[in-house]
Amino acid sequence: MTVPHTDPYVDAVLPPEVARVGPAHDRSPWLDPAYLTANAAQVDVVHVHSGFGHLPEDEVVCWTEALRRTGTPLVVTVHQLRAPGSTRHDAHLRALLATAEVVLTLTPGAADEIAERFGRTAIAVAHPSLVRPDPDGGAERGLVGLALGDAGTATDPAALVRAALSGAVSGGGRLRVFLGPGEHLPPDPDLAVAEGLEVVPRDPARWAQQLQELHVAVLPERCGTHSRDLEVCRDVGTRVVAPGCGWFADQWSDVVLYGDDEEHGLDPVSLTAAVGAALTRPMPRPADRAWRAEQLAAVRAVHAQVYQQVVADRVVGV
């Protein structure tokens, strides 16, 4: 059983011989201690990736106690060591990692941080490919993209857009801001008349293609640890500008970094410089498909070995 039940990353890494147990609800009923206790016999392993952020701290603790009572092995993959706008995330991780039989994460740097903060050894597994480039699509040289809705509540969105736009224009390009439903460009008089700025709807069904159209994608995840969009950009051949916090450079060494973190906030000068520097570099080639296939096979093999081991340990312990 996985939490969430379905997700592009979860779907990719799950070994083909493993069967998932539903129901496939957005908020998994398996995170309810009573539901888990009543249905524990249906599962061999519980694997938590995300989807627990809405729970109060004490409910996560109660849930981990239910895992222990029922003897249900827990595997945890830590995708994010920090969560924007959440004061509970550390407490959630502390309870989950204290209970997990095995801890996985996506980069060696994140594994080191998990050891330092939580005293747990984590296995670093690569983030596999999620998309293939559109053979009929292409990138526009000089086009920089920014999905404003990914910036999080703590970032000054107007400063983010101004800095990215300055870097794009100084590098001979332009900035495309992607907005989701209900999102708006920051009410800034300078942006209202800015040249080289365009706003387009973000299309979830075409998001990989929209990223493929860019020369440079600016990732604004201020508190993030790993980025799915970064992997999509690597798949389709779009250069990435990412915050120096988190483990984005560990995830893909070819990113260009700028300053933005919880302690110091956005450094607009460094973002402008990073975008300009990224535009001077050639657009990367899409990720080699044979290498990506080998990587995915290796990641699935690790998951299969982990599941087999924790199930075997459970049988021995009975």
Side-chain angles (χ1 to χ4, degrees):
M1 187 274 292
T2 64
V3 181
H5 178 78
T6 186
D7 169 270
Y9 178 91
V10 176
D11 297 345
V13 303
L14 202 68
E17 67 272 19
V18 172
R20 259 179 296 196
V21 177
H25 297 162
D26 285 342
R27 292 194 172 184
S28 176
W30 287 95
L31 293 176
D32 177 2
Y35 187 92
L36 171 69
T37 301
N39 296 279
Q42 298 182 33
V43 299
D44 296 310
V45 182
V46 173
H47 191 162
V48 172
H49 293 262
S50 61
F52 50 83
H54 63 286
L55 295 173
E57 297 174 21
D58 57 344
E59 288 192 21
V60 174
V61 173
C62 290
W63 183 73
T64 58
E65 291 172 350
L67 286 170
R68 295 190 186 98
R69 285 197 306 272
T70 58
T72 307
L74 173 66
V75 175
V76 174
T77 296
V78 181
H79 294 262
Q80 300 294 345
L81 280 158
R82 294 174 179 81
S86 173
T87 58
R88 299 192 296 259
H89 196 66
D90 275 5
H92 287 161
L93 286 181
R94 194 173 298 109
L96 292 171
L97 299 189
T99 305
E101 300 287 336
V102 177
V103 179
L104 304 173
T105 193
L106 307 185
T107 59
D112 291 341
E113 186 174 341
I114 289 167
E116 181 179 349
R117 288 174 54 193
F118 300 101
R120 290 301 308 266
T121 298
I123 302 170
V125 292
H127 194 306
S129 174
L130 296 177
V131 301
R132 290 177 176 270
D134 181 357
D136 297 323
E140 178 184 330
R141 180 167 293 278
L143 181 59
V144 179
L146 168 66
L148 199 56
D150 293 337
T153 57
T155 299
D156 179 350
L160 192 70
V161 174
R162 286 196 303 268
L165 176 61
S166 177
V169 172
S170 66
R174 58 195 180 95
L175 178 66
R176 175 176 292 173
V177 175
F178 297 98
L179 296 178
E183 296 174 356
H184 305 279
L185 199 67
D188 184 289
D190 293 333
L191 296 179
V193 296
E195 296 184 4
L197 173 65
E198 66 177 30
V199 177
V200 300
R202 175 172 177 167
D203 184 353
R206 293 190 62 255
W207 184 231
Q209 288 85 353
Q210 287 183 311
L211 289 173
Q212 185 175 339
E213 293 167 359
L214 306 174
H215 183 168
V216 173
V218 177
L219 302 185
E221 295 102 324
R222 185 179 189 185
C223 302
T225 304
H226 302 110
S227 170
R228 181 171 297 172
D229 281 354
L230 183 150
E231 295 296 337
V232 174
C233 287
R234 172 149 55 170
D235 282 331
V236 301
T238 297
R239 187 161 300 285
V240 171
V241 170
C245 60
W247 297 104
F248 303 116
D250 228 16
Q251 195 175 341
W252 186 19
S253 61
D254 206 23
V255 303
V256 182
L257 300 177
Y258 69 95
D260 194 0
D261 57 46
E262 296 167 272
E263 182 178 357
H264 301 100
L266 173 68
D267 178 357
V269 174
S270 74
L271 175 54
T272 296
V275 172
L279 288 174
T280 66
R281 300 187 186 183
M283 287 177 280
R285 295 179 60 84
D288 180 77
R289 300 314 307 172
W291 169 70
R292 278 300 214 179
E294 293 173 0
Q295 184 186 58
L296 176 60
V299 170
R300 286 178 173 173
V302 170
H303 282 74
Q305 292 166 6
V306 166
Y307 297 155
Q308 292 167 4
Q309 184 61 53
V310 297
V311 169
D313 290 345
R314 181 186 190 185
V315 172
V316 171
V318 172

